[in-house]
Amino acid sequence: MSTHEKRSNFTGSLGFVLAAAGSAVGLGNIWRFPYLAAKGGGGVFIFVYIILALTFGFTLLTTEIAIGRKTAQGPLTAYGKINKNWRFIGFFAWLVPIIILPYYCTIGGWVLKYFAEFLTGHGTDTAADGYFTGYITSQWAPLIWMLIFLAATAFVVFNGVNKGIENYSKILMPILFVLVIGIGFYSLTLKHTDAEGITRTGMEGLKVYLIPDFSGMTVKQFFIVLMDAMGQLFFSISVAMGIMIAYGSYAKKETNLMKSINQIEFFDTLVALLAGLMIIPAVYTFAGLEGMSAGPGLMFVSLPKVFEAMGTMGGLIGILFFLMVIFAAVTSAVSVMEAIVSSIMDKFRYSRKKSTAITTVYTLIFGTLVCLGYNKLYFELELPNGAVGQILDIMDYLSNNIFMPLVALCTCILIGWVAKPDTVIDEVTIGGYKFGRKALYIAMIKYIAPVLLFILLVQSFGVF
């Protein structure tokens, strides 16, 4: 057992905001958000999402960052410091990143593979029918790319809070932002005439994406959009997975938490919207409304076809796009790994190097199982929500649909009713800072959020 290291801090609020935004802006924003928006009637989904981000998302984000800073602990031990009878939440909050990291690194490996294909001038190969399925079902390539992605993630975490997470976030986040904006605006200038002589433009795709169309929408369909948007929020702002508690624990007491939280919310929602702006108009231009129903395959199946249809420019846009997705995926994977590592350090008093090494070996073993889930270990299992899944889908279902709503629900009950909202309000207002939206916060944490979370949890078991 090694001596426990002094707890690191982010050097300032900019480092904290960029690291937290880097965590929030990941595959969830770039990969899940556009396809859920396309599925949920574009503008309707966005309208619901923004309202939820400003209320529900704000409440969970504030709570977790405040718990982290107040206790100066990782998620595994932080809840026990608030109330020892509620220590169990910490275990589940720690379990979420443990389940997510192996499959996140697997998908990160897929992104690296596509980037390499575009970089070496083979981008058009990825547009071929069956390319993606052929790749993920092959035996060695997914394992090798997953290993490279895991090594990059572990390297940043190994270097610690300042030299690792903060420094890399300060470099990668601004580049990511510029790439998202650049590709987004390019997407709007597109124009394409298909075989039937129908011409579609990026600007028409923008209308489909942004303007809410409630015509013909039933109450049931709206409810599904609401639940999709809520599930997406967990991913988008990195709540209910211990990450914001870990990052909050590195925030200095003089940091204005409310200001930082508003900036994280703003950054994250903006990037999610821009990711949709980048993808939906482009896919609409070249593949119409049908192309937008590709589901999670949107990024790996539909987009390469779009880049191919763009001609020479498509190759370059493909390189920039997958480079941007790599940055987003790495900053998020780093935060997921950090939630696990900081907990091991706090609970077992291990050094950062030892804790990172343990986490890396574990991720390598389970990441290998996820990769083999598409070939050697392939099976199909029907999940309670009606979807059919393999190993990756089962892990995704357990983390997103069961443990994350459960952690968030228990956190709301703990802070809303047991420890009382003042636990968080007092932490946020240290140093005389104002708590904006305080009345909203109290109403959300006590009444509204628990009800919504309970419905989300029940829905996961296929009740509705």
Side-chain angles (χ1 to χ4, degrees):
M1 187 164 126
S2 77
T3 53
H4 191 50
E5 297 172 16
K6 180 181 174 291
R7 193 165 199 84
S8 307
N9 284 115
F10 288 118
T11 52
S13 57
L14 177 70
F16 168 55
V17 169
L18 286 176
S23 158
V25 174
L27 291 173
N29 286 45
I30 291 165
W31 171 54
R32 278 185 91 200
F33 187 90
Y35 93 76
L36 284 173
K39 177 185 151 214
V44 178
F45 178 86
I46 289 169
F47 172 71
V48 171
Y49 179 85
I50 290 174
I51 289 174
L52 281 176
L54 293 172
T55 51
F56 180 75
F58 156 77
T59 303
L60 293 180
L61 193 60
T62 304
T63 304
E64 295 201 3
I65 290 174
I67 288 174
R69 192 174 76 169
K70 190 181 190 74
T71 59
Q73 296 285 304
L76 183 59
T77 44
Y79 284 95
K81 291 259 191 250
I82 300 283
N83 185 312
K84 61 179 191 297
N85 297 329
W86 289 71
R87 273 196 303 251
F88 69 90
I89 311 178
F91 174 72
F92 288 118
W94 185 52
L95 195 59
V96 172
I98 287 176
I99 298 171
I100 291 175
L101 192 58
Y103 78 76
Y104 204 94
C105 288
T106 303
I107 299 170
W110 299 350
V111 177
L112 280 178
K113 162 73 176 171
Y114 271 63
F115 174 67
E117 290 285 31
F118 275 91
L119 196 61
T120 54
H122 297 114
T124 49
D125 297 355
T126 63
D129 287 329
Y131 177 88
F132 178 60
T133 310
Y135 166 65
I136 62 171
T137 53
S138 62
Q139 201 177 336
W140 292 106
L143 283 169
I144 294 163
W145 288 109
M146 181 270 293
L147 182 62
I148 297 169
F149 184 87
L150 172 59
T153 304
F155 175 76
V156 177
V157 176
F158 196 77
N159 278 313
V161 176
N162 311 122
K163 291 194 183 74
I165 299 168
E166 186 171 358
N167 282 357
Y168 287 98
S169 298
K170 280 180 177 172
I171 298 165
L172 296 181
M173 285 307 290
I175 300 174
L176 174 91
F177 210 60
V178 171
L179 287 173
V180 174
I181 292 173
I183 300 170
F185 280 106
Y186 176 73
S187 197
L188 297 180
T189 65
L190 298 170
K191 190 175 181 181
H192 177 68
T193 306
D194 63 16
E196 279 96 58
I198 298 168
T199 303
R200 285 184 296 263
T201 66
M203 290 306 284
E204 287 166 11
L206 179 68
K207 279 189 195 152
V208 172
Y209 174 50
L210 288 183
I211 297 173
D213 179 13
F214 290 98
S215 61
M217 183 173 268
T218 62
V219 173
K220 187 185 172 187
Q221 285 168 324
F222 181 76
F223 179 74
I224 291 169
V225 172
L226 177 72
M227 289 296 126
D228 273 351
M230 211 161 106
Q232 174 59 26
L233 256 181
F234 284 118
F235 247 96
S236 274
I237 54 175
S238 292
V239 289
M241 43 180 113
I243 292 170
M244 289 302 167
I245 293 179
Y247 277 11
S249 74
Y250 303 129
K252 291 180 173 171
K253 285 290 185 190
E254 53 269 26
T255 300
N256 180 343
L257 282 193
M258 202 34 65
K259 188 176 160 196
S260 299
I261 288 161
N262 290 339
Q263 287 166 343
I264 296 164
E265 249 188 318
F266 174 75
F267 259 123
D268 172 68
T269 308
L270 187 63
V271 172
L273 292 173
L274 286 169
L277 179 75
M278 204 167 49
I279 293 172
I280 291 177
V283 173
Y284 175 81
T285 303
F286 291 99
L289 288 169
E290 300 73 57
M292 284 165 43
S293 60
L298 194 68
M299 187 159 83
F300 298 109
V301 180
S302 304
L303 274 178
K305 290 191 190 321
V306 169
F307 295 142
E308 184 191 34
M310 286 179 187
T312 345
M313 195 64 187
L316 176 64
I317 297 284
I319 292 172
L320 294 175
F321 175 78
F322 283 106
L323 177 67
M324 178 217 55
V325 180
I326 289 169
F327 286 173
V330 169
T331 51
S332 289
V334 161
S335 67
V336 175
M337 186 181 265
E338 182 59 34
I340 305 170
V341 168
S342 68
S343 291
I344 295 174
M345 288 165 67
D346 291 332
K347 178 75 177 169
F348 303 106
R349 305 281 176 188
Y350 288 171
S351 68
R352 171 169 288 276
K353 291 181 168 65
K354 187 175 178 181
S355 306
T356 308
I358 292 168
T359 308
T360 306
V361 171
Y362 155 78
T363 309
L364 180 61
I365 294 166
F366 280 85
T368 302
L369 292 177
V370 173
C371 291
L372 294 177
Y374 289 101
N375 44 70
K376 291 269 187 252
L377 304 175
Y378 184 81
F379 61 85
E380 287 186 356
L381 180 76
E382 189 175 340
L383 298 169
N385 60 357
V388 175
Q390 298 82 39
I391 295 176
L392 188 149
D393 303 310
I394 292 167
M395 291 169 85
D396 187 52
Y397 176 77
L398 284 172
S399 56
N400 291 4
N401 297 49
I402 295 175
F403 290 124
M404 280 155 73
L406 186 68
V407 167
L409 177 61
C410 293
T411 303
C412 288
I413 296 169
L414 171 64
I415 299 298
W417 297 94
V418 182
K420 301 288 188 270
D422 281 346
T423 314
V424 165
I425 295 165
D426 292 347
E427 184 60 36
V428 173
T429 52
I430 283 176
Y433 291 118
K434 283 200 162 53
F435 190 130
R437 293 184 266 175
K438 185 163 127 182
L440 170 76
Y441 176 80
I442 296 170
M444 287 301 299
I445 197 91
K446 288 184 80 154
Y447 308 105
I448 304 166
V451 171
L452 283 175
L453 286 161
F454 180 72
I455 295 169
L456 187 66
L457 195 57
V458 173
Q459 189 207 20
S460 304
F461 291 104
V463 174
F464 298 123

